[in-house]
Amino acid sequence: MGDCESMAPQLEGEENLIAAAKHIVRALGSNKNLTKDVKKILADLGSQLSTMATIDDEGVEGLKSGIEEHLSVVEEKIMSWETDESMIWDSGPDEAFEYLSAVDEARKLIQGLENRCLNGEDEKELLRRAHDVLQLAMQRLEEEFKYLLVQHRQPFEPEHMSFRSSEDDGVDVGSMVSFGDESFEESARRDSVSRTSEECIIDLVHPDVIHDLKCIANSMFMSNYDHECRQAYVIVRKDALDECLFDLEIEKFSIEDVLKMEWGTLNSKIKRWVRAMKVFVRRYLASEKWLCDQIFSELGSANFVCFVEAAKAPMLQLLNFAEAISIGPHQPEKLVRFLDMYEVLADLLLDIDALFPDEAGSSVKVEYHEVLKRLADSVRATLVEFKNAVATNTSTNPFAGGGIHHLTRYVMNYLRLLVDYKDTLNLLLKNDGSVPVLLSPDSSPSTEDESTSNDFSGGVSAMTLHLQSLTSILEANLHEKSKLYRDASLQHFFLMNNIHYMAQKVKNSELRVIFGDKWIRKHNWKFQQHAMDYERATWSTVLSFLKDESNSSNSSISRTLLKERLRSFYVAFEEVYRMQTAWLIPDVQLREDLRISTSLKVIQAYRTFVGRQMYHIGEKHIRYNADEMQDYLLDLFEGSQKSLHNPHRR
């Protein structure tokens, strides 16, 4: 074909030269003053030029014949596969090479013919035939291209593919209707996928066929069938990306579907989405980009365009789910899931910007940034809703037994979960949300030092202020709930239990880093103060009967008064026993400490009174000895009401 191309302009140059010479000869021959010899020379020259023109015409005809013969050979090679149902690339490398060579020849024939001045119908017909042959070849290459992509696709097996086995779609992470569900802490715990497992590039198509795919793509692009090649790639790879989402158990939902879901089901879907998002972006999309680069690296921006067109729909499917979550109700139980979704999107922000850097990927990138901002707004809105819910949680009846209220358990367990999101919350609470916050993948918890609750400027961190505000709201609510008890001692008992629980939750968890030791000391003092107030309100009246205020202990009136006081003491003690065995201190150490403190006061006063007044009262009026009294005091605060039935009771 190279000889044919070089011959055409050469013949055209010779034709022009002969025509010019013949014109000169005719001009000279018209001069009447020429001698016979000169006229003879010009006549001979004209004859020779005419002979040369005749020979040239025969050469052009020969060239046309050669092109037609060459085209027929190429056409035969390409047409031979039109009746063959087998795939060319399954027939071996030699057949594939020959076919691509035939396609290359057809393209060169077209170029050669288009470079000539096609005046004759024969030449135009040759060009039409060549275009038809090339079009057939392109259709076949498109089929072969798709076939290789599909047939040699490698299975994608993410480590965390089977999520459903470890999840219960019906799990609820608690609600403001039933505060304090202890399962909240477990079921709402954040999920994590190790970054190392996400960043591995995998071969989505077998490496052995990458060269073949590249050759087909190059051939189609050189033949101006680049659109068809890109379209074929996008169709196949988009199906593969959809299948990847299916393997990751990501379903397609409309915004309406998401808004109608029960929270238990939605919670499970969000957990699965968070896990899948990292795997899909860091492993699958990164590998997809690598595949595009391998196939289209020599073809300008085709690699980027193909990647974006294939990845856009699956990415928007994932983002649409996150958007639906963000515009739904901002119930407090959703906060942890909002934070999970925000963190995974913030963590992947640099990956997305790298995968979709140019204008072609701007729609994905813009939507991604917008969803990230909406989730940030949802986090802040949910925190406000949570504060309001705690502040407005009301009770019509006192909490049975004066134990730890469901609200207290819920709020403190809730705050413990938020510690895992300390960095994110600090930034979101002091950031207006106009600029997405980037999280460092190497972020790690601070050491347990009170100073860690400070921000970089040395002031108290935004999260510390927010959580301390929440506990203040909780305490105010608990004080209101304590007023539902008619018994003042039970009011203090209830507050002692709940504030002790708050202090212990902070002291024995990562919350200590946020609240600091000063807060813990303050609340230790508070619950101890309520413990003393409880003892004073409960036992001051009971022990007042054991005070000996008689000035004439030998008189019969004094003996009667002493017996009456002792009897009143027993009645009061038995009433306290009956009531306060039903009261509950869930914390074992606090229960033991209060029993010991109570016992020291009661038993010492009882022993002193009985020891001093035994002679005047008489042994028959003593219902319990000191050891029995002490044993009875050990029955207090177990949450199971009991009554004393002493056979010696008078």
Side-chain angles (χ1 to χ4, degrees), residues 103-313:
V103 172
D104 189 49
E105 291 298 317
R107 184 175 65 256
K108 288 179 179 179
L109 279 170
I110 291 172
Q111 291 173 350
L113 287 169
E114 288 177 342
N115 287 334
R116 290 175 57 82
C117 296
L118 303 179
N119 297 319
E121 284 301 318
D122 291 344
E123 289 180 323
K124 291 180 180 179
E125 177 60 28
L126 284 176
L127 183 59
R128 282 194 291 270
R129 277 181 59 193
H131 274 298
D132 290 343
V133 169
L134 186 64
Q135 185 177 6
L136 281 174
M138 290 298 106
Q139 291 172 352
R140 183 55 184 250
L141 286 183
E142 184 179 338
E143 292 177 12
E144 297 282 338
F145 191 66
K146 287 181 179 179
Y147 175 78
L148 289 176
L149 284 170
V150 172
Q151 198 68 17
H152 296 277
R153 203 175 91 191
Q154 304 252 79
F156 177 63
E157 299 176 352
E159 293 87 336
H160 301 271
M161 203 169 77
S162 183
F163 299 149
R164 194 170 287 115
S165 61
S166 61
E167 292 180 4
D168 177 3
D169 281 350
V171 171
D172 192 349
V173 296
S175 68
M176 298 305 285
V177 177
S178 58
F179 280 101
D181 183 1
E182 292 288 7
S183 67
F184 172 80
E185 188 172 355
E186 292 299 321
S187 60
R189 183 168 292 138
R190 71 192 303 186
D191 298 300
S192 62
V193 180
S194 93
R195 187 178 178 94
T196 304
S197 67
E198 298 149 13
E199 296 184 322
C200 175
I201 298 294
I202 55 178
D203 290 316
L204 300 177
V205 173
H206 200 285
D208 289 351
V209 298
I210 295 297
H211 175 73
D212 296 328
L213 290 167
K214 187 173 182 178
C215 288
I216 294 175
N218 288 347
S219 180
M220 293 185 73
F221 270 67
M222 290 174 67
S223 303
N224 295 322
Y225 279 76
D226 48 310
H227 173 74
E228 288 77 3
C229 183
R230 285 195 301 266
Q231 190 175 39
Y233 180 89
V234 169
I235 290 172
V236 173
R237 293 310 306 166
K238 185 180 177 299
D239 288 343
L241 287 163
D242 288 340
E243 188 171 326
C244 172
L245 290 183
F246 178 81
D247 290 340
L248 291 168
E249 299 176 7
I250 297 298
E251 304 165 72
K252 286 187 178 180
F253 296 113
S254 67
I255 290 179
E256 291 74 17
D257 292 336
V258 174
L259 294 176
K260 290 177 184 177
M261 280 186 194
E262 293 293 329
W263 171 238
T265 302
L266 189 57
N267 176 49
S268 180
K269 304 293 184 193
I270 294 173
K271 289 163 71 176
R272 194 172 299 152
W273 181 92
V274 169
R275 295 176 184 175
M277 194 72 187
K278 284 191 175 184
V279 175
F280 185 73
V281 172
R282 285 223 172 100
R283 297 201 66 192
Y284 205 93
L285 286 191
S287 299
E288 184 68 39
K289 185 68 165 60
W290 167 243
L291 176 63
C292 283
D293 290 343
Q294 286 180 292
I295 296 173
F296 300 105
S297 59
E298 299 173 1
L299 302 171
S301 62
N303 57 334
F304 176 67
V305 173
C306 288
F307 168 76
V308 170
E309 289 302 312
K312 183 189 297 184

